[in-house]
């Protein structure tokens, strides 16, 4: 029985922390997302310990999970000065509403629209610039507003993070970031437009679910070298150095991924090795998303019926698209009643767990051997679904979005279906 993610099987059924999932299913229906706030608290406390001694501001990547209770929980921590990494005006607004200060927010993304830039510049939010055309848009909008935009350069270090190709962002073939070659042109422009725009940091982000520490270290070292060059050769008054996110969690069948402490160690060594002293005084930013919330969430679902080797459940790719999009493997915990327990070791049949959506890719798990005979109405929870679960949900097939239930100890909030 593992409770590392807050979910476990007890004699009276599946639980999230001290709450029976059958009770959540009764009140909220299924499918439903369930989040353990204790698990997030534990991650946040571990983060503070891992980065002790580093002048750090973690900016939570809100795209992983933008649930308002979770955002408030992160904003309210006092062991680290948490901020937000946002990629749309919607995420910026959700961050502000949750209590994050504009000065602790970063706006990333390759296609920021004029109305989004206007919003960010008016709130003095740092923009991580990803192209020359974006720099020109920022200059024009800042002039128009009579303000000076605060920017960072997001560089693409051309490092292959060795993760799934669809969540790799730091190679030449990815649309993200600025090539190192663009540096001179960028610097010329910000010198010419110094009243409208000021460079205050550098950043990078090479992908998600990164298990290759050498690749992450390579990108971190390149970033430190770049910051040194900007400070020493180009007289730039930098305030922050942003190493991005990508810290992994363990999915079904994975070996243990590198620990957050290992990433903290890479940053420590990269900063210690810096030849420019001013770098050691910069604010260190990281952008963790999945690592904060991934383990905290489960997608609660109910078996609609069983045919051949298919367990048809009421959750689908519209609630959790990760298996269909990235062949992601999420652990599934079934509820076992007394009958099940008796035959628990008998059935060795392999099943696919599929949803009701009219797509062959609507498979939530392949070739699993539950070890018992699944049956109609049985509850199950799909684990490691706290990150990029609800936030990527869709209404395809005109399915409603699922409710999100937040658990704290033995209480939970049951919000009505959206
Ligand atoms: N910073 C930037 C600029 C990002 O683009 C991302 C994620 C992060 C930080 C946070 O990355 P994390 O620490 O969560 O790995 N939907 C995919 C993941 C896409 C990630 C997009 N960018 C999935 O479900 O695996």
């Amino acid at each position: 029985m593992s409770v590392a993610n807050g979910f476990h099987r007890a004699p009276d059924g599946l639980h999230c922390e001290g709450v029976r999932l059958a009770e959540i299913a009764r009140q909220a229906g299924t499918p439903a997302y369930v989040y353990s706030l204790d698990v997030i608290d534990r991650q946040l406390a571990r983060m503070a310990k891992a980065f002790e001694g580093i002048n750090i501001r973690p900016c939570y990547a809100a795209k992983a999970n933008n649930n308002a209770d979770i955002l408030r929980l992160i904003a309210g921590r006092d062991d680290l000065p948490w901020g937000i990494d946002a990629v749309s005006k919607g995420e910026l607004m959700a961050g502000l509403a949750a209590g994050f200060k504009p000065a602790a927010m970063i706006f990333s993304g390759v296609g920021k629209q004029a109305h989004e830039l206007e919003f960010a510049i008016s709130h003095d939010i740092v923009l991580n610039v990803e192209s020359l055309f974006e720099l020109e848009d920022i200059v024009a909008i800042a002039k128009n507003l009579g303000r000076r935009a605060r920017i960072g350069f997001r560089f693409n270090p051309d490092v292959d993070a060795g993760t799934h190709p669809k969540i790799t962002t730091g190679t030449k073939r990815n649309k993200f970031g600025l090539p190192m070659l663009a540096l001179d042109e960028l610097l010329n422009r910000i010198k010419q437009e110094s009243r409208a725009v000021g460079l205050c940091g550098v950043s990078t982000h090479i992908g998600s679910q990164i298990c290759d520490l050498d690749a992450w270290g390579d990108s971190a070292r390149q970033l430190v070298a770049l910051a040194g060059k900007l400070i020493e050769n180009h007289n730039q008054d930098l305030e922050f150095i942003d190493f991005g996110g990508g810290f992994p969690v363990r999915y079904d069948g994975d070996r243990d991924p590198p620990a957050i402490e290992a990433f903290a160690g890479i940053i420590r060594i990269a900063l210690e090795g810096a030849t420019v002293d001013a770098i050691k005084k910069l604010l260190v930013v990281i952008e963790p998303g999945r690592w904060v919330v991934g383990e905290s969430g489960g997608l609660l679902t109910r078996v609609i019926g069983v045919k051949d080797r298919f367990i048809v459940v009421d959750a689908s790719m519209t609630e959790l698209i990760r298996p269909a999009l990235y062949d992601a493997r999420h652990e599934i915990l079934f509820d076992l009643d007394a009958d099940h327990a008796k035959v628990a070791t008998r059935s060795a049949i392999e099943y696919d767990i599929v949803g009701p959506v009219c797509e062959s890719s609507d498979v939530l798990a392949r070739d699993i051997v539950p070890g018992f005979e699944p049956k109609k109405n049985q509850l199950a929870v799909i684990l490691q679904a706290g990150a990029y679960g609800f936030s990527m949900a869709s209404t395809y097939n005109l399915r409603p979005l699922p409710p999100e239930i937040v658990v704290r100890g033995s209480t939970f909030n049951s919000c009505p279906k959206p």
Side-chain angles (χ1 to χ4, degrees), residues 310-365:
F310 299 103
I311 305 176
V312 185
V313 296
D314 60 9
S316 74
M317 67 191 293
T318 66
E319 289 80 29
L320 183 64
I321 200 171
R322 302 196 69 260
L325 203 52
Y326 319 112
D327 294 316
R329 284 180 307 182
H330 291 253
E331 213 176 312
I332 300 185
L333 202 56
F334 279 88
D335 201 6
L336 294 183
D337 61 19
D339 286 351
H340 276 123
K342 269 189 254 153
V343 294
T345 51
R346 266 195 240 145
S347 172
I349 301 175
E350 277 191 350
Y351 292 96
D352 283 355
I353 302 192
V354 302
V357 165
C358 292
E359 294 277 339
S360 293
S361 55
D362 186 24
V363 179
L364 293 162

Side-chain angles (χ1 to χ4, degrees), residues 61 63-64 85 87 108 130 154 166-167 169 176 205 207-209 244-247 251 287-291 322 325-326 387-388 392:
K63 64 175 84 65
D85 165 51
V87 288
S108 315
E130 302 213 18
R154 174 176 173 180
K166 286 188 182 160
I167 52 175
T169 56
F176 298 99
H205 172 77
S208 205
Q209 187 64 11
F247 314 117
Y251 290 98
E287 302 171 0
R290 182 192 318 265
W291 190 87
R322 302 196 69 260
L325 203 52
Y326 319 112
Y388 308 108
M392 293 183 82

Side-chain angles (χ1 to χ4, degrees), residues 17-228:
E17 298 184 25
V19 174
R20 289 182 64 227
L21 293 185
E23 187 52 28
I24 292 181
R26 195 182 65 76
Q27 291 193 32
T30 54
Y33 271 100
V34 181
Y35 306 122
S36 157
L37 292 188
D38 273 2
V39 169
I40 298 176
D41 267 339
R42 255 185 274 149
Q43 292 295 84
L44 299 175
R46 184 169 162 192
M47 180 73 86
K49 211 151 179 283
F51 285 88
E52 239 165 28
I54 299 180
N55 175 23
I56 193 153
R57 177 188 308 288
C59 284
Y60 168 65
K63 64 175 84 65
N65 185 323
N66 51 37
N67 176 275
D69 287 336
I70 292 178
L71 292 181
R72 271 198 297 272
L73 177 74
I74 299 171
R77 290 293 291 202
D78 52 15
D79 49 356
L80 281 180
W82 280 87
I84 280 268
D85 165 51
V87 288
S88 67
K89 182 174 166 188
E91 287 187 358
L92 290 172
M93 288 169 70
L96 290 173
F100 290 95
K101 298 276 175 295
M105 294 170 105
I106 283 178
F107 189 14
S108 315
V110 292
K112 303 177 189 83
Q113 298 168 67
H115 72 101
E116 297 182 305
L117 291 173
E118 244 172 64
F119 183 84
I121 295 169
S122 315
H123 284 81
D124 223 12
I125 291 168
V126 169
L127 300 147
N128 266 345
V129 171
E130 302 213 18
S131 63
L132 269 163
F133 73 73
E134 182 186 343
L135 182 59
E136 297 307 335
D137 288 348
I138 290 171
V139 167
I141 290 170
K143 280 183 180 168
N144 218 359
L145 294 171
R147 301 186 76 109
R148 187 166 191 259
R150 288 159 46 77
I151 64 164
F153 285 157
R154 174 176 173 180
F155 275 94
N156 181 326
D158 196 19
V159 170
D160 184 348
T163 185
H164 190 287
K166 286 188 182 160
I167 52 175
T168 294
T169 56
T171 75
K172 265 199 277 220
R173 290 190 55 82
N174 302 122
K175 66 181 175 181
F176 298 99
L178 299 153
M180 293 285 181
L181 286 173
L183 185 62
D184 287 344
E185 202 173 345
L186 291 161
L187 283 169
N188 280 342
R189 285 302 289 142
I190 60 167
K191 281 176 193 159
Q192 287 159 356
E193 300 290 354
S194 60
R195 292 174 65 149
V197 70
L199 182 67
C200 50
V202 285
S203 82
T204 191
H205 172 77
I206 61 169
S208 205
Q209 187 64 11
I210 293 172
C211 295
D212 181 346
L213 287 177
D214 290 342
W216 207 82
D218 183 1
S219 137
R221 277 187 300 278
Q222 286 197 43
L223 193 67
V224 168
L226 173 67

